[in-house]
Amino acid sequence: MEVKIGVQHAPREIVLESGQSAEEVEQVVAEALAGKSQLLSLVDEHGRKLLVPADRLAYVEIGEPAPRKVGFGAL
């Protein structure tokens, strides 16, 4: 699952591939925005943990990863 996170006062968004489902990511984001936790905590495919302060979240985009193209042919 590809997750893009916009952070206030940061020029670039954070992009990570997560093994969690879209529903799990949405639940974690909703809890952070509701004030149940002060940090948005996600784990990527390599087991690295990403922590973002909940009060600095600008947006979170949840989507399926685009399939990777192989080769040099024009399609």
Short mmCIF file of all heavy atoms in Angstrom, two decimals:
data_model
loop_
_atom_site.label_atom_id
_atom_site.label_comp_id
_atom_site.label_asym_id
_atom_site.label_seq_id
_atom_site.Cartn_x
_atom_site.Cartn_y
_atom_site.Cartn_z
N MET A 1 0.84 -1.16 0.00
CA MET A 1 0.00 0.00 0.00
C MET A 1 0.89 1.23 0.00
O MET A 1 1.79 1.34 0.84
CB MET A 1 -0.87 -0.04 1.26
CG MET A 1 -1.82 1.10 1.42
SD MET A 1 -3.08 1.21 0.19
CE MET A 1 -3.75 -0.42 0.17
N GLU A 2 0.67 2.14 -0.93
CA GLU A 2 1.44 3.38 -0.98
C GLU A 2 0.74 4.44 -0.15
O GLU A 2 -0.46 4.65 -0.29
CB GLU A 2 1.59 3.87 -2.42
CG GLU A 2 2.44 5.11 -2.53
CD GLU A 2 2.57 5.58 -3.96
OE1 GLU A 2 1.60 6.14 -4.48
OE2 GLU A 2 3.65 5.38 -4.53
N VAL A 3 1.50 5.11 0.71
CA VAL A 3 0.96 6.16 1.58
C VAL A 3 1.80 7.41 1.37
O VAL A 3 3.02 7.37 1.46
CB VAL A 3 1.01 5.74 3.07
CG1 VAL A 3 0.43 6.83 3.95
CG2 VAL A 3 0.28 4.43 3.29
N LYS A 4 1.13 8.54 1.07
CA LYS A 4 1.79 9.83 0.94
C LYS A 4 1.30 10.71 2.08
O LYS A 4 0.10 10.83 2.30
CB LYS A 4 1.46 10.49 -0.40
CG LYS A 4 2.02 9.77 -1.58
CD LYS A 4 1.69 10.50 -2.86
CE LYS A 4 2.19 9.71 -4.06
NZ LYS A 4 1.84 10.40 -5.32
N ILE A 5 2.24 11.33 2.78
CA ILE A 5 1.91 12.16 3.93
C ILE A 5 2.45 13.56 3.71
O ILE A 5 3.65 13.74 3.49
CB ILE A 5 2.51 11.57 5.23
CG1 ILE A 5 2.02 10.15 5.43
CG2 ILE A 5 2.17 12.45 6.42
CD1 ILE A 5 2.73 9.40 6.53
N GLY A 6 1.56 14.54 3.76
CA GLY A 6 1.97 15.93 3.68
C GLY A 6 2.13 16.46 5.09
O GLY A 6 1.27 16.25 5.94
N VAL A 7 3.24 17.14 5.34
CA VAL A 7 3.53 17.70 6.65
C VAL A 7 3.58 19.22 6.53
O VAL A 7 4.22 19.74 5.60
CB VAL A 7 4.88 17.16 7.19
CG1 VAL A 7 5.18 17.71 8.57
CG2 VAL A 7 4.87 15.64 7.22
N GLN A 8 2.93 19.90 7.45
CA GLN A 8 2.92 21.36 7.43
C GLN A 8 4.34 21.89 7.56
O GLN A 8 5.15 21.35 8.31
CB GLN A 8 2.08 21.90 8.59
CG GLN A 8 0.62 21.57 8.50
CD GLN A 8 -0.15 22.06 9.71
OE1 GLN A 8 0.37 22.78 10.55
NE2 GLN A 8 -1.39 21.65 9.79
N HIS A 9 4.63 22.96 6.83
CA HIS A 9 5.93 23.65 6.85
C HIS A 9 7.07 22.76 6.36
O HIS A 9 8.23 22.99 6.72
CB HIS A 9 6.25 24.20 8.24
CG HIS A 9 5.14 25.01 8.82
ND1 HIS A 9 4.70 26.18 8.27
CD2 HIS A 9 4.36 24.79 9.90
CE1 HIS A 9 3.70 26.66 8.99
NE2 HIS A 9 3.47 25.82 9.99
N ALA A 10 6.78 21.75 5.58
CA ALA A 10 7.80 20.90 4.97
C ALA A 10 7.60 20.96 3.45
O ALA A 10 6.48 20.80 2.96
CB ALA A 10 7.68 19.46 5.45
N PRO A 11 8.67 21.19 2.70
CA PRO A 11 8.52 21.37 1.25
C PRO A 11 8.19 20.10 0.47
O PRO A 11 7.67 20.18 -0.63
CB PRO A 11 9.89 21.92 0.81
CG PRO A 11 10.83 21.45 1.86
CD PRO A 11 10.05 21.38 3.13
N ARG A 12 8.48 18.93 1.05
CA ARG A 12 8.24 17.67 0.33
C ARG A 12 7.31 16.78 1.13
O ARG A 12 7.26 16.85 2.36
CB ARG A 12 9.56 16.95 0.09
CG ARG A 12 10.51 17.74 -0.80
CD ARG A 12 11.82 17.05 -0.99
NE ARG A 12 11.62 15.73 -1.57
CZ ARG A 12 12.58 14.85 -1.72
NH1 ARG A 12 13.80 15.15 -1.34
NH2 ARG A 12 12.34 13.68 -2.24
N GLU A 13 6.61 15.91 0.43
CA GLU A 13 5.77 14.93 1.10
C GLU A 13 6.57 13.68 1.41
O GLU A 13 7.61 13.43 0.80
CB GLU A 13 4.55 14.59 0.25
CG GLU A 13 4.88 13.96 -1.06
CD GLU A 13 3.68 13.82 -1.98
OE1 GLU A 13 2.63 14.39 -1.72
OE2 GLU A 13 3.84 13.12 -2.99
N ILE A 14 6.09 12.91 2.37
CA ILE A 14 6.72 11.65 2.74
C ILE A 14 5.98 10.55 2.00
O ILE A 14 4.74 10.49 2.05
CB ILE A 14 6.62 11.42 4.26
CG1 ILE A 14 7.34 12.53 5.01
CG2 ILE A 14 7.21 10.06 4.62
CD1 ILE A 14 7.05 12.53 6.49
N VAL A 15 6.70 9.68 1.31
CA VAL A 15 6.09 8.57 0.57
C VAL A 15 6.68 7.28 1.11
O VAL A 15 7.89 7.14 1.22
CB VAL A 15 6.37 8.68 -0.95
CG1 VAL A 15 5.74 7.52 -1.69
CG2 VAL A 15 5.87 10.01 -1.49
N LEU A 16 5.80 6.33 1.46
CA LEU A 16 6.28 5.04 1.93
C LEU A 16 5.37 3.93 1.43
O LEU A 16 4.20 4.15 1.15
CB LEU A 16 6.39 5.00 3.46
CG LEU A 16 5.09 4.91 4.24
CD1 LEU A 16 5.21 3.77 5.24
CD2 LEU A 16 4.87 6.19 4.98
N GLU A 17 5.96 2.77 1.30
CA GLU A 17 5.22 1.55 0.95
C GLU A 17 4.99 0.80 2.25
O GLU A 17 5.94 0.45 2.94
CB GLU A 17 6.02 0.69 -0.03
CG GLU A 17 6.19 1.28 -1.40
CD GLU A 17 4.91 1.28 -2.22
OE1 GLU A 17 4.06 0.41 -1.99
OE2 GLU A 17 4.78 2.16 -3.07
N SER A 18 3.73 0.57 2.58
CA SER A 18 3.40 -0.09 3.83
C SER A 18 2.75 -1.43 3.56
O SER A 18 2.02 -1.59 2.58
CB SER A 18 2.44 0.79 4.64
OG SER A 18 2.05 0.13 5.82
N GLY A 19 3.01 -2.39 4.43
CA GLY A 19 2.38 -3.70 4.32
C GLY A 19 0.99 -3.72 4.95
O GLY A 19 0.28 -4.72 4.84
N GLN A 20 0.60 -2.62 5.59
CA GLN A 20 -0.71 -2.54 6.22
C GLN A 20 -1.79 -2.33 5.15
O GLN A 20 -1.52 -1.80 4.08
CB GLN A 20 -0.75 -1.38 7.22
CG GLN A 20 0.22 -1.54 8.37
CD GLN A 20 0.32 -0.29 9.21
OE1 GLN A 20 0.60 0.78 8.68
NE2 GLN A 20 0.09 -0.43 10.50
N SER A 21 -3.01 -2.71 5.48
CA SER A 21 -4.12 -2.51 4.55
C SER A 21 -4.57 -1.05 4.60
O SER A 21 -4.22 -0.30 5.52
CB SER A 21 -5.29 -3.43 4.92
OG SER A 21 -5.88 -3.00 6.13
N ALA A 22 -5.37 -0.64 3.63
CA ALA A 22 -5.88 0.72 3.58
C ALA A 22 -6.73 1.02 4.81
O ALA A 22 -6.69 2.13 5.36
CB ALA A 22 -6.71 0.93 2.31
N GLU A 23 -7.50 0.05 5.28
CA GLU A 23 -8.34 0.24 6.45
C GLU A 23 -7.51 0.45 7.71
O GLU A 23 -7.85 1.28 8.55
CB GLU A 23 -9.30 -0.94 6.64
CG GLU A 23 -10.36 -1.08 5.56
CD GLU A 23 -9.83 -1.72 4.28
OE1 GLU A 23 -8.78 -2.41 4.32
OE2 GLU A 23 -10.45 -1.50 3.22
N GLU A 24 -6.42 -0.30 7.84
CA GLU A 24 -5.54 -0.15 9.00
C GLU A 24 -4.87 1.22 9.02
O GLU A 24 -4.81 1.88 10.06
CB GLU A 24 -4.47 -1.24 9.01
CG GLU A 24 -5.00 -2.62 9.28
CD GLU A 24 -3.95 -3.70 9.08
OE1 GLU A 24 -2.99 -3.50 8.32
OE2 GLU A 24 -4.10 -4.77 9.71
N VAL A 25 -4.40 1.67 7.85
CA VAL A 25 -3.77 2.99 7.77
C VAL A 25 -4.78 4.07 8.08
O VAL A 25 -4.50 5.01 8.83
CB VAL A 25 -3.14 3.21 6.37
CG1 VAL A 25 -2.64 4.64 6.21
CG2 VAL A 25 -2.01 2.22 6.13
N GLU A 26 -5.98 3.95 7.53
CA GLU A 26 -7.02 4.94 7.79
C GLU A 26 -7.38 5.00 9.27
O GLU A 26 -7.58 6.08 9.83
CB GLU A 26 -8.27 4.60 6.97
CG GLU A 26 -9.36 5.63 7.09
CD GLU A 26 -10.56 5.32 6.19
OE1 GLU A 26 -10.51 4.36 5.42
OE2 GLU A 26 -11.54 6.07 6.30
N GLN A 27 -7.43 3.86 9.94
CA GLN A 27 -7.74 3.82 11.36
C GLN A 27 -6.66 4.52 12.19
O GLN A 27 -6.97 5.30 13.09
CB GLN A 27 -7.90 2.36 11.83
CG GLN A 27 -8.22 2.20 13.29
CD GLN A 27 -9.60 2.73 13.64
OE1 GLN A 27 -10.50 2.71 12.81
NE2 GLN A 27 -9.75 3.20 14.84
N VAL A 28 -5.40 4.28 11.87
CA VAL A 28 -4.29 4.91 12.59
C VAL A 28 -4.31 6.42 12.38
O VAL A 28 -4.11 7.20 13.32
CB VAL A 28 -2.94 4.30 12.13
CG1 VAL A 28 -1.76 5.07 12.70
CG2 VAL A 28 -2.86 2.84 12.52
N VAL A 29 -4.58 6.87 11.16
CA VAL A 29 -4.65 8.30 10.87
C VAL A 29 -5.83 8.94 11.61
O VAL A 29 -5.69 10.01 12.21
CB VAL A 29 -4.76 8.54 9.34
CG1 VAL A 29 -5.05 10.00 9.04
CG2 VAL A 29 -3.49 8.10 8.65
N ALA A 30 -6.98 8.28 11.60
CA ALA A 30 -8.16 8.81 12.29
C ALA A 30 -7.91 8.94 13.80
O ALA A 30 -8.31 9.94 14.41
CB ALA A 30 -9.36 7.91 12.04
N GLU A 31 -7.24 7.97 14.39
CA GLU A 31 -6.93 8.04 15.82
C GLU A 31 -5.98 9.20 16.13
O GLU A 31 -6.14 9.89 17.13
CB GLU A 31 -6.33 6.72 16.30
CG GLU A 31 -7.33 5.60 16.37
CD GLU A 31 -6.71 4.27 16.74
OE1 GLU A 31 -5.47 4.22 16.98
OE2 GLU A 31 -7.45 3.27 16.79
N ALA A 32 -5.00 9.41 15.25
CA ALA A 32 -4.06 10.52 15.47
C ALA A 32 -4.77 11.86 15.34
O ALA A 32 -4.53 12.77 16.15
CB ALA A 32 -2.91 10.42 14.47
N LEU A 33 -5.66 11.99 14.37
CA LEU A 33 -6.36 13.26 14.17
C LEU A 33 -7.41 13.50 15.24
O LEU A 33 -7.73 14.66 15.54
CB LEU A 33 -7.00 13.29 12.78
CG LEU A 33 -6.02 13.35 11.62
CD1 LEU A 33 -6.76 13.28 10.29
CD2 LEU A 33 -5.16 14.61 11.69
N ALA A 34 -7.96 12.44 15.82
CA ALA A 34 -8.96 12.59 16.88
C ALA A 34 -8.33 12.92 18.23
O ALA A 34 -9.04 13.21 19.18
CB ALA A 34 -9.78 11.31 16.99
N GLY A 35 -7.01 12.87 18.31
CA GLY A 35 -6.33 13.20 19.55
C GLY A 35 -6.08 12.02 20.46
O GLY A 35 -5.64 12.19 21.59
N LYS A 36 -6.37 10.80 19.99
CA LYS A 36 -6.13 9.61 20.81
C LYS A 36 -4.64 9.34 20.97
O LYS A 36 -4.23 8.73 21.95
CB LYS A 36 -6.83 8.39 20.21
CG LYS A 36 -8.34 8.50 20.26
CD LYS A 36 -9.00 7.27 19.71
CE LYS A 36 -10.51 7.41 19.76
NZ LYS A 36 -11.18 6.25 19.20
N SER A 37 -3.84 9.76 20.00
CA SER A 37 -2.39 9.67 20.11
C SER A 37 -1.80 10.95 19.54
O SER A 37 -2.38 11.57 18.66
CB SER A 37 -1.86 8.44 19.37
OG SER A 37 -2.04 8.59 17.99
N GLN A 38 -0.64 11.32 20.02
CA GLN A 38 -0.01 12.56 19.56
C GLN A 38 0.86 12.34 18.34
O GLN A 38 1.29 13.29 17.71
CB GLN A 38 0.83 13.16 20.69
CG GLN A 38 -0.01 13.61 21.85
CD GLN A 38 0.85 14.24 22.94
OE1 GLN A 38 2.07 14.23 22.86
NE2 GLN A 38 0.20 14.77 23.94
N LEU A 39 1.11 11.07 18.00
CA LEU A 39 1.94 10.75 16.85
C LEU A 39 1.21 9.83 15.88
O LEU A 39 0.50 8.92 16.29
CB LEU A 39 3.22 10.04 17.30
CG LEU A 39 4.22 10.83 18.12
CD1 LEU A 39 5.32 9.90 18.61
CD2 LEU A 39 4.82 11.96 17.31
N LEU A 40 1.42 10.07 14.60
CA LEU A 40 0.99 9.13 13.57
C LEU A 40 2.16 8.17 13.39
O LEU A 40 3.28 8.58 13.08
CB LEU A 40 0.70 9.85 12.25
CG LEU A 40 0.48 8.97 11.04
CD1 LEU A 40 -0.75 8.09 11.24
CD2 LEU A 40 0.35 9.79 9.79
N SER A 41 1.92 6.89 13.61
CA SER A 41 2.98 5.88 13.56
C SER A 41 2.63 4.84 12.51
O SER A 41 1.60 4.17 12.60
CB SER A 41 3.12 5.21 14.93
OG SER A 41 4.05 4.17 14.86
N LEU A 42 3.48 4.72 11.48
CA LEU A 42 3.31 3.73 10.43
C LEU A 42 4.60 2.95 10.26
O LEU A 42 5.68 3.46 10.54
CB LEU A 42 2.95 4.41 9.10
CG LEU A 42 1.62 5.16 9.05
CD1 LEU A 42 1.51 5.95 7.75
CD2 LEU A 42 0.47 4.21 9.19
N VAL A 43 4.49 1.73 9.76
CA VAL A 43 5.65 0.87 9.52
C VAL A 43 5.71 0.57 8.03
O VAL A 43 4.71 0.18 7.43
CB VAL A 43 5.54 -0.44 10.33
CG1 VAL A 43 6.74 -1.34 10.07
CG2 VAL A 43 5.41 -0.13 11.82
N ASP A 44 6.91 0.75 7.43
CA ASP A 44 7.03 0.47 6.00
C ASP A 44 7.34 -1.00 5.75
O ASP A 44 7.44 -1.79 6.69
CB ASP A 44 8.07 1.39 5.34
CG ASP A 44 9.51 1.07 5.72
OD1 ASP A 44 9.74 0.14 6.50
OD2 ASP A 44 10.41 1.77 5.22
N GLU A 45 7.51 -1.37 4.48
CA GLU A 45 7.74 -2.76 4.10
C GLU A 45 9.04 -3.34 4.66
O GLU A 45 9.19 -4.55 4.76
CB GLU A 45 7.74 -2.90 2.58
CG GLU A 45 6.38 -2.73 1.96
CD GLU A 45 6.41 -2.91 0.46
OE1 GLU A 45 7.49 -2.72 -0.15
OE2 GLU A 45 5.38 -3.25 -0.10
N HIS A 46 10.00 -2.48 4.99
CA HIS A 46 11.29 -2.94 5.49
C HIS A 46 11.35 -2.96 7.01
O HIS A 46 12.41 -3.20 7.58
CB HIS A 46 12.41 -2.04 4.95
CG HIS A 46 12.44 -1.99 3.45
ND1 HIS A 46 12.87 -3.05 2.67
CD2 HIS A 46 12.07 -1.03 2.58
CE1 HIS A 46 12.78 -2.72 1.40
NE2 HIS A 46 12.29 -1.50 1.31
N GLY A 47 10.23 -2.68 7.66
CA GLY A 47 10.18 -2.72 9.11
C GLY A 47 10.59 -1.43 9.80
O GLY A 47 10.65 -1.37 11.01
N ARG A 48 10.84 -0.38 9.02
CA ARG A 48 11.20 0.92 9.60
C ARG A 48 9.95 1.63 10.06
O ARG A 48 8.93 1.60 9.38
CB ARG A 48 11.96 1.78 8.59
CG ARG A 48 13.31 1.18 8.22
CD ARG A 48 13.99 2.01 7.18
NE ARG A 48 13.23 1.87 5.93
CZ ARG A 48 13.75 2.04 4.73
NH1 ARG A 48 15.00 2.38 4.61
NH2 ARG A 48 13.02 1.89 3.65
N LYS A 49 10.02 2.28 11.21
CA LYS A 49 8.87 2.98 11.77
C LYS A 49 8.96 4.46 11.44
O LYS A 49 10.01 5.08 11.59
CB LYS A 49 8.82 2.78 13.28
CG LYS A 49 7.55 3.34 13.90
CD LYS A 49 7.49 3.03 15.38
CE LYS A 49 6.78 1.71 15.54
NZ LYS A 49 6.38 1.47 16.93
N LEU A 50 7.84 5.03 10.99
CA LEU A 50 7.75 6.45 10.66
C LEU A 50 6.84 7.10 11.68
O LEU A 50 5.70 6.66 11.88
CB LEU A 50 7.18 6.63 9.25
CG LEU A 50 6.84 8.05 8.84
CD1 LEU A 50 8.13 8.79 8.53
CD2 LEU A 50 5.92 8.06 7.66
N LEU A 51 7.32 8.16 12.33
CA LEU A 51 6.54 8.89 13.32
C LEU A 51 6.40 10.34 12.86
O LEU A 51 7.39 11.00 12.56
CB LEU A 51 7.23 8.86 14.68
CG LEU A 51 7.48 7.48 15.27
CD1 LEU A 51 8.37 7.58 16.50
CD2 LEU A 51 6.18 6.80 15.61
N VAL A 52 5.15 10.83 12.82
CA VAL A 52 4.87 12.21 12.44
C VAL A 52 3.96 12.80 13.51
O VAL A 52 2.95 12.18 13.87
CB VAL A 52 4.16 12.28 11.06
CG1 VAL A 52 3.86 13.71 10.68
CG2 VAL A 52 5.00 11.61 9.98
N PRO A 53 4.29 13.99 14.03
CA PRO A 53 3.40 14.62 15.01
C PRO A 53 2.02 14.86 14.40
O PRO A 53 1.90 15.39 13.29
CB PRO A 53 4.09 15.95 15.34
CG PRO A 53 5.51 15.76 14.94
CD PRO A 53 5.49 14.78 13.80
N ALA A 54 0.98 14.45 15.10
CA ALA A 54 -0.39 14.52 14.57
C ALA A 54 -0.82 15.96 14.29
O ALA A 54 -1.57 16.21 13.34
CB ALA A 54 -1.37 13.86 15.53
N ASP A 55 -0.33 16.91 15.08
CA ASP A 55 -0.74 18.30 14.86
C ASP A 55 -0.05 18.95 13.67
O ASP A 55 -0.39 20.06 13.28
CB ASP A 55 -0.50 19.13 16.13
CG ASP A 55 0.96 19.19 16.53
OD1 ASP A 55 1.76 18.36 16.04
OD2 ASP A 55 1.31 20.07 17.35
N ARG A 56 0.90 18.25 13.03
CA ARG A 56 1.60 18.76 11.85
C ARG A 56 1.13 18.13 10.55
O ARG A 56 1.65 18.44 9.48
CB ARG A 56 3.11 18.54 11.98
CG ARG A 56 3.73 19.27 13.12
CD ARG A 56 3.73 20.74 12.84
NE ARG A 56 4.39 21.43 13.95
CZ ARG A 56 4.14 22.68 14.24
NH1 ARG A 56 3.29 23.37 13.53
NH2 ARG A 56 4.74 23.24 15.25
N LEU A 57 0.15 17.22 10.60
CA LEU A 57 -0.34 16.56 9.39
C LEU A 57 -1.11 17.55 8.52
O LEU A 57 -2.00 18.26 9.00
CB LEU A 57 -1.26 15.39 9.74
CG LEU A 57 -0.59 14.17 10.34
CD1 LEU A 57 -1.66 13.15 10.75
CD2 LEU A 57 0.38 13.55 9.37
N ALA A 58 -0.77 17.60 7.25
CA ALA A 58 -1.50 18.41 6.29
C ALA A 58 -2.51 17.54 5.54
O ALA A 58 -3.66 17.90 5.38
CB ALA A 58 -0.55 19.09 5.32
N TYR A 59 -2.05 16.37 5.06
CA TYR A 59 -2.92 15.42 4.37
C TYR A 59 -2.27 14.06 4.37
O TYR A 59 -1.07 13.92 4.55
CB TYR A 59 -3.22 15.86 2.93
CG TYR A 59 -2.01 15.91 2.04
CD1 TYR A 59 -1.61 14.79 1.32
CD2 TYR A 59 -1.26 17.07 1.92
CE1 TYR A 59 -0.49 14.83 0.51
CE2 TYR A 59 -0.14 17.12 1.11
CZ TYR A 59 0.24 15.99 0.40
OH TYR A 59 1.35 16.04 -0.40
N VAL A 60 -3.10 13.04 4.16
CA VAL A 60 -2.62 11.67 4.01
C VAL A 60 -3.35 11.07 2.82
O VAL A 60 -4.58 11.06 2.78
CB VAL A 60 -2.88 10.81 5.28
CG1 VAL A 60 -2.42 9.38 5.06
CG2 VAL A 60 -2.19 11.42 6.49
N GLU A 61 -2.58 10.59 1.85
CA GLU A 61 -3.15 9.97 0.65
C GLU A 61 -2.84 8.48 0.69
O GLU A 61 -1.69 8.08 0.80
CB GLU A 61 -2.53 10.61 -0.59
CG GLU A 61 -3.08 10.11 -1.89
CD GLU A 61 -2.42 10.81 -3.06
OE1 GLU A 61 -2.26 12.03 -3.03
OE2 GLU A 61 -2.07 10.09 -4.02
N ILE A 62 -3.89 7.67 0.61
CA ILE A 62 -3.74 6.22 0.67
C ILE A 62 -4.13 5.65 -0.69
O ILE A 62 -5.22 5.93 -1.18
CB ILE A 62 -4.64 5.63 1.77
CG1 ILE A 62 -4.35 6.28 3.11
CG2 ILE A 62 -4.48 4.12 1.86
CD1 ILE A 62 -5.39 5.98 4.17
N GLY A 63 -3.26 4.85 -1.29
CA GLY A 63 -3.58 4.28 -2.59
C GLY A 63 -2.74 3.06 -2.88
O GLY A 63 -1.77 2.75 -2.20
N GLU A 64 -3.14 2.36 -3.92
CA GLU A 64 -2.41 1.18 -4.36
C GLU A 64 -1.15 1.64 -5.10
O GLU A 64 -1.16 2.63 -5.80
CB GLU A 64 -3.27 0.35 -5.31
CG GLU A 64 -4.43 -0.33 -4.63
CD GLU A 64 -3.99 -1.39 -3.63
OE1 GLU A 64 -2.98 -2.08 -3.88
OE2 GLU A 64 -4.63 -1.52 -2.60
N PRO A 65 -0.05 0.91 -4.96
CA PRO A 65 1.16 1.28 -5.68
C PRO A 65 0.97 1.04 -7.18
O PRO A 65 0.26 0.13 -7.59
CB PRO A 65 2.22 0.34 -5.11
CG PRO A 65 1.46 -0.81 -4.56
CD PRO A 65 0.12 -0.26 -4.14
N ALA A 66 1.59 1.90 -7.99
CA ALA A 66 1.53 1.73 -9.44
C ALA A 66 2.43 0.57 -9.83
O ALA A 66 3.51 0.41 -9.29
CB ALA A 66 1.99 3.01 -10.13
N PRO A 67 1.98 -0.26 -10.78
CA PRO A 67 2.84 -1.37 -11.20
C PRO A 67 4.09 -0.82 -11.87
O PRO A 67 4.05 0.15 -12.60
CB PRO A 67 1.97 -2.14 -12.19
CG PRO A 67 0.92 -1.18 -12.63
CD PRO A 67 0.73 -0.21 -11.51
N ARG A 68 5.21 -1.46 -11.59
CA ARG A 68 6.48 -1.00 -12.17
C ARG A 68 6.62 -1.50 -13.58
O ARG A 68 6.35 -2.65 -13.88
CB ARG A 68 7.64 -1.49 -11.31
CG ARG A 68 7.61 -0.89 -9.94
CD ARG A 68 8.82 -1.27 -9.16
NE ARG A 68 8.71 -0.66 -7.85
CZ ARG A 68 9.59 -0.81 -6.91
NH1 ARG A 68 10.65 -1.56 -7.12
NH2 ARG A 68 9.44 -0.24 -5.75
N LYS A 69 7.06 -0.61 -14.44
CA LYS A 69 7.29 -0.98 -15.84
C LYS A 69 8.71 -1.53 -15.99
O LYS A 69 9.63 -1.05 -15.37
CB LYS A 69 7.11 0.24 -16.73
CG LYS A 69 5.69 0.77 -16.70
CD LYS A 69 5.53 1.97 -17.58
CE LYS A 69 4.12 2.50 -17.48
NZ LYS A 69 3.92 3.71 -18.27
N VAL A 70 8.83 -2.52 -16.83
CA VAL A 70 10.13 -3.15 -17.06
C VAL A 70 10.47 -3.01 -18.53
O VAL A 70 9.63 -3.21 -19.41
CB VAL A 70 10.09 -4.66 -16.67
CG1 VAL A 70 11.42 -5.31 -16.96
CG2 VAL A 70 9.70 -4.80 -15.22
N GLY A 71 11.69 -2.64 -18.81
CA GLY A 71 12.12 -2.53 -20.20
C GLY A 71 12.12 -1.09 -20.69
O GLY A 71 11.78 -0.17 -19.97
N PHE A 72 12.48 -0.95 -21.97
CA PHE A 72 12.61 0.39 -22.55
C PHE A 72 11.58 0.63 -23.64
O PHE A 72 11.63 1.66 -24.30
CB PHE A 72 14.01 0.57 -23.12
CG PHE A 72 15.07 0.53 -22.07
CD1 PHE A 72 15.81 -0.62 -21.85
CD2 PHE A 72 15.31 1.63 -21.27
CE1 PHE A 72 16.79 -0.66 -20.89
CE2 PHE A 72 16.28 1.60 -20.30
CZ PHE A 72 17.04 0.46 -20.09
N GLY A 73 10.66 -0.26 -23.86
CA GLY A 73 9.68 -0.10 -24.93
C GLY A 73 8.68 1.00 -24.63
O GLY A 73 8.34 1.27 -23.49
N ALA A 74 8.21 1.67 -25.66
CA ALA A 74 7.21 2.72 -25.50
C ALA A 74 5.82 2.10 -25.55
O ALA A 74 5.46 1.44 -26.51
CB ALA A 74 7.37 3.77 -26.60
N LEU A 75 5.07 2.30 -24.51
CA LEU A 75 3.71 1.75 -24.47
C LEU A 75 2.70 2.83 -24.37
O LEU A 75 2.80 3.81 -23.79
CB LEU A 75 3.56 0.81 -23.28
CG LEU A 75 4.44 -0.43 -23.31
CD1 LEU A 75 4.27 -1.23 -22.02
CD2 LEU A 75 4.07 -1.31 -24.47
#
